[in-house]
Amino acid sequence: MSDRGVLLVNLGSPKSTDVADVRRYLNQFLMDPYVIDLPWPARRLLVSLILATRPKASAHAYASIWWDEGSPLVVISRRVQQALQQQLDMPVELAMRYGEPSIESGLLALAKRPGLREVLFMPQYPQHADSTITTSVEEARRVIAKHGLDIKLNVVPAFYSRPDYIAALAQSVQPYLEQGFDHLLLSYHGLPERHLRKADPTGSHCLASGDCCERASAATATCYRAHCSHVSRELSAALGLGAEQWSQAFQSRLGRAKWIEPYTEARIDELAAKGVKRLLVACPAFVADCIETLEEIGDRAREQFIEAGGEELVLIPCLNDQPQWIEVLANWARETPAMA
């Protein structure tokens, strides 16, 4: 038996579509200081205001995409875990940063394995952001310290630039291009602009110019927008697309703060106004379909596009449990060097 285990980590989901469960999930998610980076009193006040109305609307949205087996994100992630386990001779557990199964339960399950000394911590986020990867790693470290676990945490970093990830992504998109299209929109989850500035170690690069994501800097190592731009460039090149055939935008805004632009909603209206009739949308910030892809793009964005004059919006599924993606994950688990 291997002395290493794998912990796959994703964002999370409510336990059910009941308003109470959605409220509990949103409270845990939004009260994370890496998500809403305000002092605790201000964060508590803001989240309380959000929770006064949002859980009911969110519960309705979740219900519209909920599967018989449960949350699509959790169900798909379980399938990935099971498929990956079949490829490896080391234990594989699943965890969500918010909700269940928790990072705590995943780490404790692995720590019980005889002889296990290292956990390969694999956040399922292609691009780096404090609100995804950093908070997940910090929670894992908290759990290890809390329980005094004698295990090493070997973190797989954001994989936006790994050629095998780009190849798997291109392979998943290509069949949809072959069916004919007018434009491919790459829609990423948005972030407040202040998150980019806080993650900039130089304090002067991010958002300082229109081409900051294309210019070499120490800031790009932790810049979410630069990582998204890299994926877009590499993916479009792998697919052989011209500059006019694709574009990039950012979705899922919350609150009144300035978020990364262009916004997906605005871009969809622009494309319809330009005469785009068959629009393909891929969401490369996610590796598993979830409410942000299935409901926000698959339902609401599709309705918006048609109302704006388009004819068909096709949501390209995420990598999910596609065989090429499982093979990529298995190779990472096998090839990542052990910690000294």
Side-chain angles (χ1 to χ4, degrees), residues 23-203:
R23 179 180 290 108
R24 188 176 301 110
Y25 169 77
L26 289 176
N27 182 68
Q28 183 188 13
F29 171 52
L30 297 174
M31 282 303 295
D32 185 340
Y34 287 107
V35 174
I36 296 183
D37 54 338
L38 297 174
W40 190 92
R43 186 166 72 253
R44 181 70 271 173
L45 175 60
L46 176 59
V47 173
S48 296
L49 293 173
I50 293 172
L51 294 181
T53 57
R54 191 174 180 89
K56 184 176 181 180
S58 293
H60 178 76
Y62 275 109
S64 72
I65 54 97
W66 209 257
W67 293 350
D68 290 342
E69 308 99 303
S71 161
L73 173 62
V74 176
V75 172
I76 292 168
S77 298
R78 284 287 188 202
R79 293 174 183 171
V80 172
Q81 174 202 3
Q82 292 163 5
L84 186 58
Q85 184 64 83
Q86 294 177 0
Q87 298 283 328
L88 299 174
D89 62 354
M90 61 187 79
V92 181
E93 293 288 342
L94 174 67
M96 299 288 158
R97 174 61 184 91
Y98 314 104
E100 297 294 336
S102 66
I103 289 176
E104 184 167 26
S105 66
L107 285 173
L108 290 176
L110 288 172
K112 291 178 181 177
R113 299 274 186 160
L116 191 138
R117 293 290 177 263
E118 178 182 296
V119 171
L120 190 61
F121 194 79
M122 301 181 72
Q124 297 294 280
Y125 310 112
Q127 303 85 19
H128 175 85
D130 285 342
S131 56
T132 53
I133 292 180
T134 301
T135 186
S136 298
V137 173
E138 288 302 308
E139 172 64 7
R141 289 172 175 160
R142 183 195 70 81
V143 169
I144 291 171
K146 172 186 173 182
H147 295 279
L149 303 181
D150 184 22
I151 55 176
K152 296 178 180 179
L153 196 68
N154 191 348
V155 179
V156 175
F159 46 83
Y160 68 97
S161 63
R162 298 186 72 149
D164 48 0
Y165 159 68
I166 297 295
L169 194 57
Q171 187 177 345
S172 72
V173 172
Q174 183 64 47
Y176 292 87
L177 302 184
E178 294 170 357
Q179 296 171 21
F181 72 106
D182 294 326
H183 194 85
L184 171 65
L185 178 62
L186 303 175
S187 181
Y188 296 83
H189 198 290
L191 277 184
E193 288 189 349
R194 69 175 184 272
H195 283 210
L196 299 187
R197 294 190 177 96
K198 288 180 67 174
D200 180 358
T202 72

Side-chain angles (χ1 to χ4, degrees), residues 201-222:
T202 72
S204 60
H205 182 83
C206 286
L207 304 175
S209 66
D211 65 344
C212 58
C213 289
E214 284 70 49
R215 290 190 292 110
S217 169
T220 58
T222 53

Side-chain angles (χ1 to χ4, degrees), residues 5-28:
V6 175
L7 187 62
L8 298 171
V9 183
N10 216 312
L11 187 75
S13 171
K15 181 179 180 181
S16 76
T17 61
D18 290 344
V19 174
D21 283 336
V22 174
R23 179 180 290 108
R24 188 176 301 110
Y25 169 77
L26 289 176
N27 182 68
Q28 183 188 13

